Amino acid sequence: MLAAGTAAAASGSALFIGVPVLAPQLRDEFGLTLSQLGVLFASLWVGSILTLLGWGLLADRLGERLVLAGGLGACGLFAVGVVWAGGFWSLMLLLFLASAAGASVNAASGRAVMQWFTPDERGLALGIRQTAIPLGAGVAAVTLPLVDRLGGVDAAFVFLGALCLGAALVAALVIREAPVQDVKLEGDAIPWTLRDRRLWTLSFGSGLYLFGQLPYLSFAVLFLHDVHGVSPARAGAVLAVFQAGAVLTRIGAGRLSDRLGNRLRPLRWIGLGSAAGLLVTALVADGQLALVVTAIVVAGAVSMAWNGLSLTAAAELAGRARSGAAIGFQQTTLGVVGVVVPVVFVALVESTSWRAAFALCAFGPLAGWWMLGTLRERV
């Protein structure tokens, strides 16, 4: 169950994060401005915002297999459809639809893992599942520049679509419900979700950590290419290295939370580390390339460590029967913040500088650290 869920999430992540990896090529292929790239990256979040809670409720009612396989399969088809995109608007529409369909992975695969592991294992299990994001990003960072060089942007999107379709097939064959079932999802799941102050605080507080994560995920390749003259392939390799580090930080954070019996404390520590990483990156942004790459790799890995803890805490707040709805809500709030961050970061870069943009984004994880401090320590 864990392997199938992780593979499904990794394939969706490869598409989601693969688009920023292709930023220089997309800019040339479609004649995009930096602002249009920011909007394009934001569109990937908008699709998931509109569907995540719905996918979570469907997973609670219909089970993970149907939701995960069906949504991810549709995502793969939309990705392949980019071959026929004729300009900015058609490209953005197809990516929007792909993200709306692929959002099924977040709720369904997280719920599947939640059902199969006990509380003293769940932090580690969901931490491993959340390594899907850096794993998928690493695959995208390493392979997409090569695929693009051999067959162009169209070949890159066909490759990404094929990954999603393959993982959807695996999910259809492997994923199943846990043998021990709790009561069915109650009819008031949506009102419960919307009125739970703890879930709102947890979701938006950790969502502010995206100000520490997305500048690296979405713009590290473009920053290294434009400011330091690094080729897209080598810049993608840097992204792959920090994603490899993120695999370790996510597993480590999940295991630490199991040993502490607490998700909140390590979640807040990561917020402080993420803010510090942004400030260090800002300090060295115009300096020696070796220092810049080191800062991106280390700070990027730290900035990726929190997602599994936030998802686990949301699921545990809700309980097994409503975990899909809670995960869907938590992921929706992350999507809301995720739409804003690329646009804000681009605006900061264009109005100030890359250095100032990195530094100013440190206020995001700091604000999240403060907000999470209002929750009880037992979360």
Side-chain angles (χ1 to χ4, degrees), residues 309-325:
L309 296 180
S310 177
L311 187 147
T312 305
E316 290 177 340
L317 280 175
R320 288 167 63 96
R322 296 188 288 195
S323 57

Side-chain angles (χ1 to χ4, degrees), residues 314-341:
E316 290 177 340
L317 280 175
R320 288 167 63 96
R322 296 188 288 195
S323 57
I327 291 172
F329 176 81
Q330 183 255 6
Q331 294 287 301
T332 298
T333 58
L334 296 188
V336 171
V337 181
V339 170
V340 174
V341 174

Side-chain angles (χ1 to χ4, degrees), residues 182-327:
D182 284 346
V183 295
K184 297 295 185 182
L185 174 67
E186 293 89 341
D188 68 342
I190 294 178
W192 169 85
T193 301
L194 296 180
R195 67 171 176 253
D196 192 300
R197 182 191 63 81
R198 296 172 303 162
L199 188 59
W200 279 86
T201 302
L202 172 70
S203 300
F204 277 102
S206 56
L208 289 172
Y209 285 11
L210 288 171
F211 277 96
Q213 180 174 313
L214 291 185
Y216 298 108
L217 272 180
S218 298
F219 297 100
V221 171
L222 196 63
F223 166 67
L224 290 171
H225 178 67
D226 286 358
V227 176
H228 292 278
V230 179
S231 69
R234 291 191 176 186
V238 174
L239 184 63
V241 171
F242 100 61
Q243 295 297 344
V247 170
L248 300 178
T249 59
R250 289 195 170 193
I251 293 174
R255 181 57 179 156
L256 177 62
S257 74
D258 285 338
R259 293 179 67 87
L260 294 174
N262 187 290
R263 316 298 180 198
L264 182 60
R265 238 178 297 161
L267 185 58
R268 296 190 73 213
W269 295 339
I270 292 166
L272 292 178
S274 183
L278 283 165
L279 294 175
V280 171
T281 303
L283 286 174
V284 302
D286 299 324
Q288 294 293 320
L289 180 60
L291 290 176
V292 175
V293 169
T294 301
I296 289 175
V297 168
V298 175
V302 171
S303 76
M304 296 281 290
W306 59 273
N307 300 66
L309 296 180
S310 177
L311 187 147
T312 305
E316 290 177 340
L317 280 175
R320 288 167 63 96
R322 296 188 288 195
S323 57
I327 291 172

Side-chain angles (χ1 to χ4, degrees), residues 50-62:
L50 299 178
T51 58
L52 269 165
L53 183 56
W55 284 124
L57 290 166
L58 280 176
D60 284 333
R61 293 187 180 277
L62 303 179

Side-chain angles (χ1 to χ4, degrees), residues 58-146:
L58 280 176
D60 284 333
R61 293 187 180 277
L62 303 179
E64 297 91 351
R65 184 196 309 222
L66 180 62
V67 169
L68 200 160
L72 189 58
C75 175
L77 293 176
F78 286 125
V80 174
V82 170
V83 170
W84 291 277
F88 170 71
W89 291 107
S90 57
L91 175 63
M92 185 173 69
L93 175 62
L94 285 164
L95 292 179
F96 165 83
L97 292 173
S99 69
S104 62
V105 175
N106 292 318
S109 65
R111 185 182 187 275
V113 174
M114 171 81 178
Q115 302 292 323
W116 280 88
F117 290 89
T118 58
D120 61 341
E121 303 171 316
R122 198 172 290 145
L124 176 60
L126 283 172
I128 292 173
R129 183 271 180 197
Q130 287 299 96
T131 64
I133 295 177
L135 284 172
V139 169
V142 170
T143 60
L144 288 182
L146 176 61

